[in-house]
Amino acid sequence: MKIAVLGTGTVGTALAGGLSAAGHDVKVGSRTAGEGKVTFAEAAEFGELAFNCTAGAGALDAVGSAAAELEGKVLVDVSNPLEFHDDGPPTLFVANDDSLGERIQRALPGARVVKALNTMNADVMVNPSLVPGDHVAFVCGDDDAAKTTVTGLLGELGWPAGRVIDLGGISAARGTEAYLLIWLRLMGAMGGAHFNIAVQR
Ligand SMILES: NC(=O)c1ccc[n+]([C@@H]2O[C@H](COP(=O)([O-])OP(=O)(O)OC[C@H]3O[C@@H](n4cnc5c(N)ncnc54)[C@H](OP(=O)(O)O)[C@@H]3O)[C@@H](O)[C@H]2O)c1
């Protein structure tokens, strides 16, 4: 599949590598083209499906600059609404009764937004075996067919369907984004980022 990866940071680099290794044709989008990168809009135009891997504070600008090109396409939103501070850990700039995933879906009503993979470190996204056990990935979004497509792609990255939990509509992004408040503390407590959620019942 032709896939756009919007974002050149740790996540964009990891997902571009993992998706390419799985046999997909990937174009990486950035604010400025050059050095193997194209603009967000050019990447989105190329992709049949796109991943948003941009900084939370810039995500609406990034996907907004490619709104026309993302029309009708699945947009996998991996971003988190983190606001960084000189003193103290990051906070969320949207939470409780709204989320960045919902803001992106409202800003791009023609795109089929699926929130996924934002609850884990980039290495784990593309190499789940870095963490032992049946730990999970979440998807949420308003378009069931889009979630099925994304679950299939996750399978190619090493996440069997039985370890992908569908949390419902895009408003469930409120929960997966707010989890970052715990994730950030866990990273400190665990002394690293290679951990993930396993759900037992
Ligand atoms: N790092 C992780 O392991 C991890 C895990 C889960 C979720 N996330 C989330 O995934 C996203 C990407 O994280 P990251 O660590 O890979 O890198 P990042 O530094 O958060 O984001 C880098 C990307 O954001 C773009 N960007 C930054 N400011 C922008 C703005 N004002 N307008 C438009 N685009 C802007 C950059 O564009 P240029 O290419 O032009 O520089 C770059 O492509 C974030 O939302 C993060 O919270 C990260």
Side-chain angles (χ1 to χ4, degrees):
M1 188 191 286
K2 289 181 178 172
I3 296 180
V5 170
L6 311 181
T8 57
T10 316
V11 175
T13 304
L15 283 173
L19 292 163
S20 298
H24 297 286
D25 210 356
V26 175
K27 258 200 173 113
V28 176
S30 180
R31 280 171 289 188
T32 47
E35 296 168 19
K37 303 173 296 187
V38 298
T39 63
F40 292 129
E42 286 167 332
E45 183 175 27
F46 165 86
E48 299 160 64
L49 174 150
F51 281 77
N52 170 39
C53 314
T54 59
L60 283 170
D61 282 347
V63 298
S65 73
E69 293 79 5
L70 290 168
E71 185 76 19
K73 296 179 183 173
V74 175
L75 176 59
V76 188
D77 177 32
V78 188
S79 66
N80 279 310
L82 295 180
E83 188 171 342
F84 295 91
H85 308 281
D86 290 338
D87 52 340
T91 53
L92 303 175
F93 63 75
V94 55
N96 287 333
D97 56 0
D98 199 4
S99 61
L100 186 53
E102 288 166 277
R103 285 186 177 180
I104 289 173
Q105 181 63 85
R106 286 200 299 272
L108 278 70
R112 302 149 70 202
V113 179
V114 177
K115 190 97 199 178
L117 296 175
N118 64 305
T119 52
M120 67 191 77
N121 165 261
D123 301 333
V124 179
M125 293 177 192
V126 295
N127 192 358
S129 64
L130 282 173
V131 178
D134 286 342
H135 53 95
V136 299
F138 301 110
V139 293
C140 66
D142 295 338
D143 185 309
D144 286 340
K147 285 190 286 192
T148 301
T149 300
V150 174
T151 301
L153 272 181
L154 293 183
E156 296 177 33
L157 295 176
W159 298 95
R163 282 171 52 194
V164 178
I165 299 180
D166 182 349
L167 295 173
I170 191 64
S171 66
R174 297 172 194 183
T176 65
E177 293 175 7
Y179 164 68
L180 260 291
L181 297 178
I182 302 176
W183 189 93
L184 289 161
R185 268 72 170 189
L186 276 171
M187 185 173 67
M190 298 288 123
H194 292 174
F195 60 85
N196 193 22
I197 302 173
V199 181
Q200 308 290 345
R201 62 177 163 187

